Amino acid sequence: MEKTHPVNEMLPLSKLFVYGLQHVLAMYAGAVAVPLIVANALGLSSEQLIYLINADLFTCGIATIIQTVGFGNMGVKIPMIQGVTFAAVTPMILIGQAHGLTGIYGSIIVAGIITYLAAPYFSSLLRFFPPVVTGTIITIIGVTLMPVAVRWAGGGNPAAKDFASAAYILLALVTLALVLFFYRFFKGFISNIAVLLGLLCGTILASFFDMVNFSKVGDASWLGITTPFAFGYPTFDAASIAAMVLVMLVVMTETTGDCIAVGEIVDKKITKEDLSRCLRADGFSTILGGIFNSFPYTAFAQNVGLVALTRVKSRFVVTAAGVILILLGLVPKLAAVIAAIPLPVLGGAGIAMFGMVAASGMKTLSRVEFDGTQNIMVVAVSLGVGMITLAVPNFYHNFPAWAQVILHSGITAGSIAAIVLNLLLNGVSAEEKDLEAGKNKYL
C-alpha cells in the first residue's frame, strides 16, 4: 500500500481546528492591514471600513480553500494560505482617489482574468528557478518579512510616542521565549502549536498590565453578510487596469517564490502544472476579490515560516484556516476578539516564524555547489538588491510609477535579480546542471 504524502494527510478535526487557528492568528494582522490602509487613505467611514475587513476575511477564506483543496484546474494543493497583497496598496489608493472604489474593483476584476489566463505561460518560467535561485528567494522572503515582526514588537506604529517602549519589547521577548519553551521542551502536538500557545500566553500576560483592549468586541455585530458589488457596479479605466495588471505580474513572481518555498519545506516538488494551478487560483481569487468588495490575492509569506516551524505539512490544516477565516468574515465579533491580540505579542512570535523562512532558504542554499561556479555572486548581489528598500524604503522615489511598483518590493526585486544573474553568470546549461544536482541531493 502506497504511503500517503504528509501534504495529503487528513488529521483529526480537533487538530485541524487548532493548527488552522494558529495559522489565522499568525496572519490576521497582515490580512486586515490592507483594508485599513486603503480605507483611511480614501476617507471611508467606520462602517465602510468594517465592511471591507469582513469582505476581506470572507474572500480570503474562500481563496485559501481553493488553493489548498483544488477546484477544476485551480489550486496547488499544498499548505499555502492566501491573503491580500501589499503590492497593490499604492496603485489602489491612486485609482480610488481618481475613480472611487468601483474603479478599484473594475481594474482588479480585469487583472484577475488576465492573471488566470496567463498562468500556464508564466509557469513555463519554472525552469529558471534552480536551487541557487529558489534558495536565494526564500532567504530574501524571510529577511524581508523580519521588519514586520520588529514593528509589531515595538507596538506597530514607529511614529507613536510609546513605540518600542520597554514594556512592548519585554512583552515581545517573553512571547518569543514562550514559543521557544513550548517548541523545545514538549513533543508532538504541544510542540506543533508552540506559536499558538505563545500567542495565548502572551495575550493573557498582557491583559494583567492593561495592554489588551477588548472594547471593540462589544461594539462589533454578531453577523456581517458580504454581498457582491456592495459599493456599486465596477467601472473600467484603461490606465487603472494597466497599473493593476502590472501589480499582478509582480504578485505572480512573488507567488512563484512562495509556492516553491512551501514545496521545499513540505518535500513536495513543484511542477510546471502545479505552479500553473497555483497562479490560476491567484487570478480567480482576485476576480472574486473584485466581486466581493475585497482586493487582489496572493500567497501569504508570513505563514510559510509557520509551516517550517511547526513541521505540520498537511494542506487540510490550512483548509481549516480558510473555514475559520470565512466564519470570522461572517461573525465580526469573533474577528474583534482576535484583533485584540497585542501587536508586541505577534511580534515576538513573528521573529521566530519569519526567521524560519530565512533559515529554510539557507538550508536550500546549503545543497548548492559554490566551488568552481558563479553561484556565490548570484546569491550575494541578489540579497543586496532585495535589501535596498529595507534600508531606504523610498530609494526608488525618482523612478517612474510602473518601475516603483516592481522595485518597491524587495522580494520581487531580489527574485528578478537572482533569475537574471543566474542566467548571465551561469547560463542555461549550467542552470539545468545545477537543478539536476539539486534533485539528486533530495534523493
Side-chain angles (χ1 to χ4, degrees):
M1 184 176 178
E2 187 177 350
K3 186 178 179 182
T4 302
H5 193 286
V7 167
N8 298 317
E9 183 182 2
M10 178 58 75
L11 304 178
L13 285 177
S14 58
K15 288 189 176 181
L16 286 178
F17 172 76
V18 175
Y19 290 151
L21 179 62
Q22 184 170 235
H23 272 282
V24 171
L25 294 180
M27 60 84 70
Y28 186 85
V32 301
V34 172
L36 279 169
I37 295 170
V38 173
N40 288 330
L42 298 182
L44 302 183
S45 67
S46 298
E47 291 76 15
Q48 290 174 315
L49 169 59
I50 292 170
Y51 194 94
L52 284 180
I53 292 175
N54 291 343
D56 176 23
L57 294 173
F58 178 79
T59 315
C60 182
I62 295 175
T64 297
I65 292 173
I66 292 172
Q67 194 66 273
T68 54
V69 174
F71 287 92
N73 60 358
M74 301 179 295
V76 68
K77 300 180 183 179
I78 57 176
M80 197 164 74
I81 206 162
Q82 299 291 99
V84 173
T85 175
F86 283 86
V89 169
T90 301
M92 285 194 300
I93 290 173
L94 294 175
I95 294 170
Q97 289 171 341
H99 305 285
L101 283 172
T102 57
I104 293 177
Y105 293 135
S107 63
I108 288 174
I109 291 171
V110 175
I113 293 171
I114 292 174
T115 300
Y116 180 91
L117 296 174
Y121 306 101
F122 197 91
S123 64
S124 299
L125 300 176
L126 187 61
R127 71 190 192 94
F128 298 113
F129 289 81
V132 65
V133 172
T134 58
T136 302
I137 292 173
I138 296 168
T139 304
I140 291 172
I141 291 172
V143 176
T144 302
L145 286 172
M146 195 56 69
V148 176
V150 173
R151 284 193 294 271
W152 285 348
N157 181 12
K161 291 182 178 180
D162 61 347
F163 181 77
S165 66
Y168 286 163
I169 294 174
L170 182 60
L171 181 57
L173 290 175
V174 169
T175 302
L176 176 58
L178 287 167
V179 171
L180 295 175
F181 171 76
F182 290 117
Y183 183 80
R184 170 65 180 83
F185 293 103
F186 291 87
K187 301 294 183 183
F189 180 68
I190 299 298
S191 177
N192 291 340
I193 60 170
V195 172
L196 174 61
L197 293 174
L199 291 173
L200 292 177
C201 292
T203 301
I204 292 171
L205 178 64
S207 67
F208 287 111
F209 297 94
D210 295 325
M211 297 173 68
V212 183
N213 182 8
F214 286 109
S215 62
K216 293 184 180 179
V217 177
D219 297 336
S221 59
W222 280 104
L223 185 64
I225 303 297
T226 297
T227 56
F229 308 124
F231 295 95
Y233 289 106
T235 55
F236 303 95
D237 172 72
S240 300
I241 291 171
M244 198 57 65
V245 169
L246 180 59
V247 167
M248 290 309 295
L249 287 174
V250 173
V251 167
M252 291 170 81
T253 303
E254 292 190 5
T255 295
T256 298
D258 291 332
C259 185
I260 294 173
V262 176
E264 293 265 0
I265 292 168
V266 301
D267 299 319
K268 184 180 187 298
K269 182 180 181 296
I270 301 300
T271 65
K272 176 184 174 182
E273 179 57 29
D274 289 330
L275 182 58
S276 181
R277 292 176 63 90
C278 179
L279 295 173
R280 280 198 196 99
D282 267 12
F284 183 76
S285 299
T286 296
I287 297 170
L288 287 182
I291 294 173
F292 285 102
N293 321 292
S294 189
F295 305 111
Y297 282 90
T298 183
F300 239 41
Q302 286 92 322
N303 292 74
V304 176
L306 188 56
V307 176
L309 185 64
T310 63
R311 305 179 298 273
V312 178
K313 301 176 181 180
S314 171
R315 59 190 169 104
F316 298 110
V317 165
V318 178
T319 303
V323 173
I324 294 171
L325 285 166
I326 290 175
L327 292 175
L328 292 175
L330 294 174
V331 186
K333 197 172 285 291
L334 289 178
V337 172
I338 293 179
I341 297 175
L343 286 178
V345 172
L346 286 171
I351 289 172
M353 291 190 299
F354 303 160
M356 282 298 292
V357 179
S360 297
M362 295 174 191
K363 181 180 178 182
T364 300
L365 288 174
S366 70
R367 296 190 287 263
V368 172
E369 183 61 52
F370 285 100
D371 294 335
T373 70
Q374 308 299 321
N375 288 332
I376 190 75
M377 189 60 73
V378 173
V379 176
V381 176
S382 300
L383 283 172
V385 171
M387 297 306 103
I388 289 175
T389 50
L390 284 187
V392 185
N394 63 342
F395 187 81
Y396 298 109
H397 73 281
N398 285 320
F399 281 54
W402 64 267
Q404 291 185 46
V405 171
I406 298 173
L407 297 173
H408 183 71
S409 167
I411 296 174
T412 304
S415 299
I416 294 172
I419 295 167
V420 172
L421 285 170
N422 182 62
L423 284 173
L424 292 176
L425 299 179
N426 288 328
V428 175
S429 59
E431 167 198 283
E432 291 175 347
K433 184 185 294 184
D434 188 23
L435 179 58
E436 191 60 40
K439 290 179 185 176
N440 293 336
K441 289 181 182 181
Y442 281 116
L443 302 177

